[in-house]
Each structure stands twice: as structure tokens, then as C-alpha cells.
Amino acid sequence: MKPSDALRRHTVVCASTAGSLPLAVPQDEPAGERTRGCSRTTTYSTPEPPGDLGTLTELVIQRLLMGDEVAASKIGTGRPIDDPARERHELEMVRHQAHKLGLEPDGTTAFFHDQISASKIVQRGLFARWAAHGEQMPATRPDLNRIRTRLDHLSRDLLHELQTTQRLRTASGDCARQLAGAVRSGCVLHRLDGLHRQALETATRSVCGDVRGNSQPTLQ
């Protein structure tokens, strides 16, 4: 399946869950707080063109939003947010696939480690939100095994998009600017709240050049 086809599929899946899960509900936030490429405000405008990193950023956001479903599947069950065994398995698979696709293994693994960290930011934030506001608790409990199957498919789509954008991300000084634009567009398109924007900053910090994200500016 082509990443563009997968993108449409994941968008439809995400939209279909919006009625039962509190996906990206705007929240009031302190003035002046910022995340990379997307200010933490409740004001939304028309999204700008996402650019060459638009598909990669959209896939990252789709994975991020699936953290809502993971949280809904775990809340009240005693299942921990951290799952070291699964995380190790996923990162080992990613490293193996990176070799096959001609991607730099350490940078690719760092990128997926950031995806896992971002998902846990969402899960912890939602657990806290639901504990404080019980009326926002999800009405249904998604099947975690099905969610994980979709996450595995999404990981493959992300790997192929990393391959497609490899030159731009590693050899172009334009990466940070394009990423910032794609992030702003995604924030507007999905109406991301502060929790999800914070997670998106973590999820995108390894996209450009230095895997620690030092090449990416924080836009004010």
C-alpha cells in the first residue's frame, strides 16, 4: 500500500472514532506558551500548504491521535502506559527495516522512539484529564490488539515516507522550515489541543538532520 493510500485510510479511521473519543479538544492555555511550529492557542485558521514533509507529518499526527485510543483501551484496566517489551520489539523491527530501506539505523530508531514517547505523553495527559473530569471519560473501550495491528501498519508507512524524504531531511537546510510549515498546517487541520501539540513537538524533534532535533527552531 502506498503511503498516500495509507494516509487516506488512517484519516478515515481517525474521523470515525471522533464521536466516542475526546480527540484533540481545544483547551484554554497560558498566554505565551509555544511548541515547535505550532503556537499553543485556541485560534484556528485556514491551514497553509503542508509542503514536501506534509505526508510524513500527517502520518505522525495520525499515530499521535491513536494514542487517544490506546489510552481509552487501558483506562480503568490497570494496564500500565509503559510497555517495555513491546517498545523493544518495535524498535528492533524498525532498526531491521531501516537497514533494508537504506535508512540510517540510529536516526530512524531515534525517530520511532520519539513516536513512542509522544504517544505516552498523550496517554498520561488523557489519564490525568479523565481523572479530573470523569464526564469526559470515553464511553467505549477499543480493542488494544486491533489498535496495535493498525500501529504496526502505520509504522511501515512511516518508514517508507522516511525513505521518500531522506534527502530533504538529511541534506537540505530547508528541512526545518518545511517541517515547521507542515506542523502548523497539521495543527490547524486537526485542531490539536495543547496536549497533542506538546506530544507533536516530541514526535517531530528527530525529523531533520541531527537526531536530537537541534536543527529545528521553535517558532514564536
PDB file of all heavy atoms in Angstrom, residues 83-94 116:
ATOM      1  N   ASP A  83       5.140  -0.005  28.192  1.00  0.00           N
ATOM      2  CA  ASP A  83       5.147  -1.418  27.797  1.00  0.00           C
ATOM      3  C   ASP A  83       6.535  -1.714  27.212  1.00  0.00           C
ATOM      4  O   ASP A  83       6.720  -1.779  25.994  1.00  0.00           O
ATOM      5  CB  ASP A  83       4.057  -1.680  26.761  1.00  0.00           C
ATOM      6  CG  ASP A  83       3.861  -3.165  26.478  1.00  0.00           C
ATOM      7  OD1 ASP A  83       4.744  -3.964  26.838  1.00  0.00           O
ATOM      8  OD2 ASP A  83       2.823  -3.531  25.894  1.00  0.00           O
ATOM      9  N   PRO A  84       7.545  -1.898  28.090  1.00  0.00           N
ATOM     10  CA  PRO A  84       8.929  -2.033  27.612  1.00  0.00           C
ATOM     11  C   PRO A  84       9.135  -3.158  26.605  1.00  0.00           C
ATOM     12  O   PRO A  84       9.895  -2.987  25.638  1.00  0.00           O
ATOM     13  CB  PRO A  84       9.720  -2.302  28.905  1.00  0.00           C
ATOM     14  CG  PRO A  84       8.878  -1.701  29.988  1.00  0.00           C
ATOM     15  CD  PRO A  84       7.458  -1.925  29.554  1.00  0.00           C
ATOM     16  N   ALA A  85       8.468  -4.287  26.788  1.00  0.00           N
ATOM     17  CA  ALA A  85       8.666  -5.422  25.878  1.00  0.00           C
ATOM     18  C   ALA A  85       8.204  -5.067  24.467  1.00  0.00           C
ATOM     19  O   ALA A  85       8.901  -5.331  23.481  1.00  0.00           O
ATOM     20  CB  ALA A  85       7.923  -6.650  26.395  1.00  0.00           C
ATOM     21  N   ARG A  86       7.022  -4.481  24.351  1.00  0.00           N
ATOM     22  CA  ARG A  86       6.527  -4.107  23.029  1.00  0.00           C
ATOM     23  C   ARG A  86       7.388  -2.999  22.425  1.00  0.00           C
ATOM     24  O   ARG A  86       7.663  -3.006  21.226  1.00  0.00           O
ATOM     25  CB  ARG A  86       5.071  -3.662  23.094  1.00  0.00           C
ATOM     26  CG  ARG A  86       4.574  -3.133  21.740  1.00  0.00           C
ATOM     27  CD  ARG A  86       3.090  -2.907  21.684  1.00  0.00           C
ATOM     28  NE  ARG A  86       2.739  -2.181  20.470  1.00  0.00           N
ATOM     29  CZ  ARG A  86       2.597  -2.735  19.262  1.00  0.00           C
ATOM     30  NH1 ARG A  86       2.789  -4.038  19.108  1.00  0.00           N
ATOM     31  NH2 ARG A  86       2.268  -2.004  18.214  1.00  0.00           N
ATOM     32  N   GLU A  87       7.802  -2.054  23.239  1.00  0.00           N
ATOM     33  CA  GLU A  87       8.638  -0.969  22.734  1.00  0.00           C
ATOM     34  C   GLU A  87       9.951  -1.517  22.173  1.00  0.00           C
ATOM     35  O   GLU A  87      10.394  -1.096  21.094  1.00  0.00           O
ATOM     36  CB  GLU A  87       8.903   0.037  23.854  1.00  0.00           C
ATOM     37  CG  GLU A  87       7.656   0.805  24.275  1.00  0.00           C
ATOM     38  CD  GLU A  87       7.851   1.603  25.547  1.00  0.00           C
ATOM     39  OE1 GLU A  87       9.033   1.869  25.902  1.00  0.00           O
ATOM     40  OE2 GLU A  87       6.851   1.949  26.199  1.00  0.00           O
ATOM     41  N   ARG A  88      10.581  -2.458  22.888  1.00  0.00           N
ATOM     42  CA  ARG A  88      11.823  -3.059  22.389  1.00  0.00           C
ATOM     43  C   ARG A  88      11.586  -3.784  21.075  1.00  0.00           C
ATOM     44  O   ARG A  88      12.381  -3.668  20.130  1.00  0.00           O
ATOM     45  CB  ARG A  88      12.385  -4.029  23.427  1.00  0.00           C
ATOM     46  CG  ARG A  88      13.108  -3.367  24.582  1.00  0.00           C
ATOM     47  CD  ARG A  88      13.933  -4.366  25.359  1.00  0.00           C
ATOM     48  NE  ARG A  88      13.120  -5.438  25.912  1.00  0.00           N
ATOM     49  CZ  ARG A  88      12.525  -5.384  27.103  1.00  0.00           C
ATOM     50  NH1 ARG A  88      12.667  -4.307  27.865  1.00  0.00           N
ATOM     51  NH2 ARG A  88      11.805  -6.398  27.544  1.00  0.00           N
ATOM     52  N   HIS A  89      10.471  -4.518  21.001  1.00  0.00           N
ATOM     53  CA  HIS A  89      10.153  -5.259  19.779  1.00  0.00           C
ATOM     54  C   HIS A  89       9.968  -4.298  18.606  1.00  0.00           C
ATOM     55  O   HIS A  89      10.481  -4.553  17.502  1.00  0.00           O
ATOM     56  CB  HIS A  89       8.883  -6.078  19.988  1.00  0.00           C
ATOM     57  CG  HIS A  89       8.371  -6.724  18.740  1.00  0.00           C
ATOM     58  ND1 HIS A  89       8.954  -7.841  18.176  1.00  0.00           N
ATOM     59  CD2 HIS A  89       7.321  -6.407  17.924  1.00  0.00           C
ATOM     60  CE1 HIS A  89       8.307  -8.187  17.077  1.00  0.00           C
ATOM     61  NE2 HIS A  89       7.319  -7.324  16.905  1.00  0.00           N
ATOM     62  N   GLU A  90       9.251  -3.216  18.832  1.00  0.00           N
ATOM     63  CA  GLU A  90       9.004  -2.263  17.749  1.00  0.00           C
ATOM     64  C   GLU A  90      10.299  -1.618  17.280  1.00  0.00           C
ATOM     65  O   GLU A  90      10.544  -1.490  16.070  1.00  0.00           O
ATOM     66  CB  GLU A  90       8.025  -1.177  18.207  1.00  0.00           C
ATOM     67  CG  GLU A  90       7.705  -0.173  17.111  1.00  0.00           C
ATOM     68  CD  GLU A  90       6.603   0.804  17.485  1.00  0.00           C
ATOM     69  OE1 GLU A  90       6.044   0.696  18.595  1.00  0.00           O
ATOM     70  OE2 GLU A  90       6.307   1.684  16.650  1.00  0.00           O
ATOM     71  N   LEU A  91      11.158  -1.229  18.221  1.00  0.00           N
ATOM     72  CA  LEU A  91      12.400  -0.565  17.846  1.00  0.00           C
ATOM     73  C   LEU A  91      13.373  -1.522  17.157  1.00  0.00           C
ATOM     74  O   LEU A  91      14.112  -1.127  16.246  1.00  0.00           O
ATOM     75  CB  LEU A  91      13.045   0.080  19.072  1.00  0.00           C
ATOM     76  CG  LEU A  91      12.255   1.240  19.685  1.00  0.00           C
ATOM     77  CD1 LEU A  91      12.942   1.762  20.936  1.00  0.00           C
ATOM     78  CD2 LEU A  91      12.048   2.369  18.680  1.00  0.00           C
ATOM     79  N   GLU A  92      13.353  -2.785  17.558  1.00  0.00           N
ATOM     80  CA  GLU A  92      14.185  -3.780  16.869  1.00  0.00           C
ATOM     81  C   GLU A  92      13.703  -3.978  15.439  1.00  0.00           C
ATOM     82  O   GLU A  92      14.505  -4.101  14.502  1.00  0.00           O
ATOM     83  CB  GLU A  92      14.143  -5.110  17.637  1.00  0.00           C
ATOM     84  CG  GLU A  92      14.933  -5.082  18.945  1.00  0.00           C
ATOM     85  CD  GLU A  92      14.665  -6.306  19.808  1.00  0.00           C
ATOM     86  OE1 GLU A  92      13.891  -7.201  19.356  1.00  0.00           O
ATOM     87  OE2 GLU A  92      15.209  -6.381  20.922  1.00  0.00           O
ATOM     88  N   MET A  93      12.382  -4.028  15.237  1.00  0.00           N
ATOM     89  CA  MET A  93      11.822  -4.161  13.898  1.00  0.00           C
ATOM     90  C   MET A  93      12.192  -2.956  13.037  1.00  0.00           C
ATOM     91  O   MET A  93      12.574  -3.102  11.872  1.00  0.00           O
ATOM     92  CB  MET A  93      10.296  -4.290  13.986  1.00  0.00           C
ATOM     93  CG  MET A  93       9.586  -4.486  12.636  1.00  0.00           C
ATOM     94  SD  MET A  93       9.233  -2.931  11.733  1.00  0.00           S
ATOM     95  CE  MET A  93       7.974  -2.211  12.807  1.00  0.00           C
ATOM     96  N   VAL A  94      12.112  -1.775  13.633  1.00  0.00           N
ATOM     97  CA  VAL A  94      12.438  -0.551  12.914  1.00  0.00           C
ATOM     98  C   VAL A  94      13.901  -0.555  12.479  1.00  0.00           C
ATOM     99  O   VAL A  94      14.225  -0.209  11.330  1.00  0.00           O
ATOM    100  CB  VAL A  94      12.133   0.671  13.803  1.00  0.00           C
ATOM    101  CG1 VAL A  94      12.858   1.911  13.287  1.00  0.00           C
ATOM    102  CG2 VAL A  94      10.636   0.930  13.864  1.00  0.00           C
ATOM    103  N   ILE A 116       6.980   6.794  20.168  1.00  0.00           N
ATOM    104  CA  ILE A 116       6.526   6.091  21.373  1.00  0.00           C
ATOM    105  C   ILE A 116       6.415   7.061  22.544  1.00  0.00           C
ATOM    106  O   ILE A 116       5.424   7.059  23.288  1.00  0.00           O
ATOM    107  CB  ILE A 116       7.494   4.931  21.701  1.00  0.00           C
ATOM    108  CG1 ILE A 116       7.426   3.857  20.607  1.00  0.00           C
ATOM    109  CG2 ILE A 116       7.172   4.326  23.067  1.00  0.00           C
ATOM    110  CD1 ILE A 116       8.516   2.805  20.701  1.00  0.00           C
TER     111      ILE A 116
END
